[in-house]
Amino acid sequence: MKPVIGCLGAGRMGRGIAVVFAFAGHEVVVVDFKQRERSAFDALAAEAAAEIRSTLDILARIDLLRPELVATIADRIRIVPRDEAAAVLPRCGVVFEGMPEILDLKRTALAEASRLAGEGPIIASTTSTILVDDLSGSIEHPNRFLNAHWLNPAYLVPLIELSPGKLTAPDVTARMKALLEGIGKVPVVCAARPGFIVPRIQTLAMNEAARMVEEGVASAEDIDKAVIYGFGFRFAVLGLLEFIDWGGGDILHHASRYLAEALGDSRYAAPDIIAANMRDGRIGMKTGQGFMNYEGLDQAAYRERRLAAFASALRAMGLAREPVA
């Protein structure tokens, strides 16, 4: 039997997560954890239900859902006020906290929710900015607590970054990972460090794109075209570190040194791990090891699979063309 999923907070993240799990056949209860007059709650609940229904209608229009299933999936989601939390939270297998990104607010909500839920449910914060160990002290039975950072829109983006803390039990991380994989998501585990994985990378990339507009390197439109059809196109198939291995860490080393000198900015310098890998002969595919291990791999077949993935992406973007006979 699928566990009941709780969403603490009826904002955009709570609604998005509710859609994901309802789509996968789970009963979901969304708890509006802000104390409101009944009329205010009724208005919020109606708004949230309408947005959830609208999201499901969009998924149907873009062929991710049969239209006749929209009502069935929407009916799996209940939106309840704060005063019903004590009744619904203990029934949940997992509770995702999606309150506003304010430390004291999250601590207060998590403390009360963990007390009301009892020790059974796994509790996860969806925060993108606050470290798990800065929140776990508020949790009763903190061994069942971790961060689970979803990327918007939650109902489309596959990735979820799991960040266990010092007190998180290993089996809790394993159970959360299995739950998410079971609904078609792609969880990754990262240390409790500021920025997780994606925010750290994308913050650097977005700031650099804005800086290039500022410096007159190219127009905003052309920079975005370059990202979509070059940067994003390649890294959607290979990933950043596999791409380094594909071309060779030595290429990154020399390109980084050139850019750091030409632009007079140390932020382009390669990290020490690149030089260490070169010193140890871990240059990438051509040496059998880089960030990944390619020893014993049929590299010709591997390259062809990756090229086939590029071809699929081209077709999806409408850019694949027939040759001129």
Side-chain angles (χ1 to χ4, degrees):
M1 184 174 177
K2 295 179 183 291
V4 177
I5 303 299
C7 296
L8 198 66
R12 176 150 298 169
M13 183 55 70
R15 299 172 193 183
I17 292 173
V19 167
V20 172
F21 280 100
F23 187 100
H26 290 260
E27 178 188 344
V28 183
V29 56
V30 178
V31 183
D32 174 28
F33 217 59
K34 184 175 180 180
Q35 199 68 51
R36 307 175 194 270
E37 296 292 332
R38 186 69 200 197
S39 59
F41 166 76
D42 289 342
L44 175 75
E47 176 204 329
E51 182 178 328
I52 288 167
R53 180 62 183 255
S54 175
T55 297
L56 292 169
D57 285 336
I58 291 171
L59 295 180
R61 290 198 295 273
I62 61 177
D63 296 326
L64 290 176
L65 169 64
R66 298 203 311 275
E68 62 269 24
L69 292 178
V70 167
T72 298
I73 294 170
D75 287 346
R76 293 175 183 151
I77 302 170
R78 291 176 57 214
I79 303 167
V80 303
R82 182 185 181 116
D83 55 16
E84 292 185 30
V88 299
L89 291 179
R91 296 181 51 236
C92 297
V94 179
V95 176
F96 291 97
E97 171 270 313
M99 304 294 287
E101 293 288 293
I102 301 169
L103 179 59
D104 288 342
L105 179 63
K106 283 185 179 289
R107 283 175 171 167
T108 299
L110 285 166
E112 184 174 358
S114 65
R115 177 181 60 81
L116 295 175
E119 63 182 284
I122 292 174
I123 298 178
S125 175
T126 63
T127 178
S128 61
T129 57
I130 302 172
L131 298 184
V132 57
D133 293 325
D134 291 335
L135 294 170
S136 61
S138 304
I139 307 289
E140 292 192 7
H141 310 288
N143 60 310
R144 44 78 178 264
F145 178 69
L146 75 168
N147 278 356
H149 175 222
W150 298 62
L151 281 71
N152 275 314
Y155 49 85
L156 286 181
V157 180
L159 184 75
I160 297 159
E161 298 176 313
L162 301 181
S163 183
K166 296 175 182 176
L167 301 176
T168 309
D171 75 293
V172 166
T173 305
R175 286 162 55 200
M176 178 67 85
K177 190 174 180 182
L179 173 70
L180 295 170
E181 288 173 340
I183 63 169
K185 292 299 186 180
V186 181
V188 295
V189 179
C190 60
R193 304 282 178 81
F196 302 92
I197 299 171
V198 171
R200 279 184 65 168
I201 294 170
Q202 73 181 14
T203 298
L204 289 173
M206 289 189 296
N207 281 331
E208 192 64 13
R211 189 174 288 112
M212 285 191 289
V213 173
E214 183 178 71
E215 293 175 358
V217 172
S219 68
E221 292 78 10
D222 279 350
I223 289 170
D224 271 1
K225 282 183 182 178
V227 170
I228 293 168
Y229 299 109
F231 186 94
F233 176 80
R234 294 187 298 181
F235 294 132
V237 171
L238 287 176
L240 288 164
L241 297 175
E242 187 179 357
F243 184 78
I244 295 172
D245 288 351
W246 181 281
D250 53 334
I251 294 177
L252 177 61
H253 171 78
H254 296 302
S256 299
R257 186 168 61 183
Y258 166 75
L259 282 174
E261 293 175 357
L263 295 173
D265 197 325
S266 63
R267 75 175 183 268
Y268 293 100
D272 292 343
I273 192 173
I274 298 296
N277 281 355
M278 289 177 62
R279 184 180 62 246
D280 297 340
R282 299 171 57 90
I283 295 176
M285 288 182 64
K286 57 191 173 186
T287 61
Q289 287 194 353
F291 283 97
M292 318 294 180
N293 187 351
Y294 305 92
E295 292 179 341
L297 178 71
D298 183 340
Q299 291 197 18
Y302 161 80
R303 285 181 181 275
E304 186 167 331
R305 288 195 300 273
R306 286 295 189 250
L307 292 173
F310 281 128
S312 294
L314 273 179
R315 287 190 288 271
M317 298 170 80
L319 294 175
R321 301 181 63 180
E322 293 293 324
V324 177

